Amino acid sequence: MSDCLFCKIVGGEIPCKKVYEDDTIFAFEDITPQAPTHILIIPKDHFASLKEVPGTKKDLLGHILLKARGLAQEAGLDESGFRIVLNTGRDSGQAVFHIHFHLLGGRRMTWPPG
Ligand code: 5GP
Ligand code: ZN
């Protein structure tokens, strides 16, 4: 989508600190990190949120989740733990409407979330 911030990041139009890329997904550091590790993992294809992802995309969603786990391991978060967040829609606080999984770790988190 031409007007989407994260599509522009995937396309290289907007710079980012890239962490990982393959044919279908892209991972980069959040510009306003909320924890010592804060990585965003996204599909290269544009879907506004989880609501727009077709039911046929199970492999893509699984790939993102398992890559998030792998990136957490690489960041040394295996023992301490980590949180994966997928905000969806207005009440969740979703601000960028290209689906993205947050990988957060390196500090003690609280529950319930704000
Ligand atoms: P949301 O609130 O939609 O779940 O999360 C959007 C995230 O995107 C926020 O954590 C925000 O800091 C991050 N973000 C917004 N604009 C940019 C940007 O231009 N570059 C990067 N790397 N992250 C961004
Ligand atoms: Zn997009």
Side-chain angles (χ1 to χ4, degrees):
M1 230 180 85
S2 57
D3 204 25
C4 169
L5 174 66
F6 285 178
C7 283
K8 287 179 180 169
I9 286 178
V10 169
E13 287 176 64
I14 293 176
C16 74
K17 291 184 181 170
K18 185 169 81 175
V19 175
Y20 176 80
E21 177 178 15
D22 64 25
D23 287 350
T24 57
I25 70 173
F26 194 93
F28 55 104
E29 291 182 13
D30 197 289
I31 202 166
T32 311
Q34 301 300 318
T37 296
H38 188 173
I39 295 169
L40 302 175
I41 307 114
I42 68 174
K44 287 186 167 178
D45 287 344
H46 179 89
F47 304 105
S49 79
L50 183 61
K51 290 190 299 179
E52 283 76 24
V53 178
T56 52
K57 295 289 181 181
K58 290 176 187 164
D59 284 356
L60 178 65
L61 293 175
H63 182 37
I64 291 174
L65 204 49
L66 292 173
K67 180 50 65 178
R69 182 186 69 178
L71 293 173
Q73 287 168 340
E74 284 175 26
L77 300 172
D78 235 10
E79 285 296 315
S80 53
F82 53 89
R83 184 175 288 178
I84 293 167
V85 174
L86 175 55
N87 291 325
T88 305
R90 186 191 59 216
D91 275 359
S92 75
Q94 184 180 2
V96 178
F97 283 84
H98 179 132
I99 185 174
H100 50 279
F101 290 64
H102 298 254
L103 168 63
L104 296 147
R107 69 167 172 83
R108 192 65 179 252
M109 312 267 167
T110 58
W111 193 264

